[in-house]
Amino acid sequence: MSSDLSFCGCVSCVKGVADGKANQLSSRTKRCGCALCITGTNSSVSDSKSTVLESCDSVSSWELACQAENYVALNTNRIKFCKCTKCSTISKPSGSRVVGTFQDCSSISKSLTSGSGISEQALFWIDAHRRVVDSGVPNFRSCRIPIRSGLVIAQWRLWQKRIGSPDKDLADLLEFGWPLGYCSSQFPVSSNKNHSGAVTFDTATDDYLKSEIEVGAIQGPFSVNPLVSELVFSPINSIPKRGVSTRRFVSDLSFPKGRSVNDGIDIDIYLGVSGKVTYPSVDDFVRLVQQKGHGSLLFKRDLSCAYRQFFLDPADVKFQGFHWRDQIYFDCALVMGCKSAAMMCQRTTTAISFFLRSQNVSICSYLDDFAGVSCSQTAGADFDLLGSVFSDLGLNESVRKAHAPSTSMEFLGIQFNTVFSS
């Protein structure tokens, strides 16, 4: 590449020179030093003011400051060299989605995105995906890029250290994301068609996507796949929720049968060890009630949309793509319809039950549903402690489902009564 080329405004070839030292074409960026395109040899730049990097990919995308009309910073991992005629005619490397030669770098954005551009949250996930994929091992074992969630990880680690939780990897998996557990050598088959529950109740689907995008659980819309990996598309669906007017959204990762994402997940083995978890039964809760005796008080609290509070390893978001209104999305959180999601949720809530039992609270959890039994003297405090633990750990509770201490309560479809005698 010529040393007298003019500076381009795109992120892929120039991330800016030292502030105030760039010519007018690099005014959209702040700092640079990429050895692929400038090393301070241009007469308008002082070499001492430019830190030379090995390549443009050496700088994390969300640290960039390009203002070039919705340019997608994270696609720097594909656009190794700029195609802008103002600075280069080097052909693109294989795998880049940018084709042709553009008059200026802002033109690239039109080939990659739709609407007003990609959000900063989406850029984080796209770049984290690239970095973890490049590492070849799960995020919690390599890059250790913290996932953006509402969980208070410091509190999880404090509880784990104080109580000695037997699930040693849990805090790391919550902080850095759960690997999906896909282990088949055969890549899943995609489906671009959604199920009738999503299509028929399209307004509800629109509202759901909007709310999930706002909290960072779903990324999109995109006009093309923004990931470095092939994106697997599965149908989405919605079903009625009991007792409320809202609908429950499901990603059908079991479609198509035989070549689906779920077909490649072995729930008996997870990360090379046994993936089996124990789910409490009605009999387990009966034993707790029997231990506390006649007239004991029962209470219950539920997590709100529990799966959606826990996130995937960035490398595995490629397995949770879907189409909606001719646009592309991918889901970053655990989804209803994923074979391994229940295991991940149960491991998390089992740890919470373990924490509470260390405080002498008789409790068990089935996925997002926590049920406890206490004597009349401590029931109120135990019920409040469960709520405080949720809050301290950054978990969202479904307040409408909370059941304050009483002698009668339903759990796992069974009505319990501690004073009734036949």
Side-chain angles (χ1 to χ4, degrees), residues 278-288 346 364-366 411-412 414 416:
T278 301
Y279 297 90
S281 65
V282 170
D283 290 341
D284 292 323
F285 193 63
V286 168
R287 281 191 286 272
L288 292 181
Q346 186 63 46
C364 65
S365 59
Y366 186 89
F411 181 59
L412 299 180
I414 303 297
F416 289 83

Side-chain angles (χ1 to χ4, degrees), residues 27-86:
S27 60
R28 285 173 283 189
T29 57
K30 287 187 177 181
R31 291 195 63 81
C32 182
C34 173
L36 292 178
C37 49
I38 74 161
T39 57
T41 56
N42 188 293
S43 58
S44 66
V45 184
S46 169
D47 189 47
S48 62
K49 296 293 185 180
S50 178
T51 302
V52 179
L53 305 177
E54 181 179 353
S55 69
C56 297
D57 294 325
S58 301
V59 177
S60 300
S61 56
W62 61 85
E63 297 173 354
L64 308 183
C66 179
Q67 305 296 316
E69 292 186 27
N70 308 326
Y71 180 74
V72 187
L74 264 295
N75 277 278
T76 59
N77 64 295
R78 286 179 175 167
I79 311 168
K80 302 293 185 182
F81 300 95
C82 178
K83 287 284 291 180
C84 170
T85 56
K86 291 181 179 178

Side-chain angles (χ1 to χ4, degrees), residues 142-162:
S142 59
C143 300
R144 297 180 70 83
I145 304 167
I147 300 303
R148 301 176 178 188
S149 73
L151 301 179
V152 183
I153 299 299
Q155 194 67 27
W156 285 89
R157 294 195 183 281
L158 178 63
W159 274 85
Q160 193 167 28
K161 181 178 180 180
R162 180 187 302 167

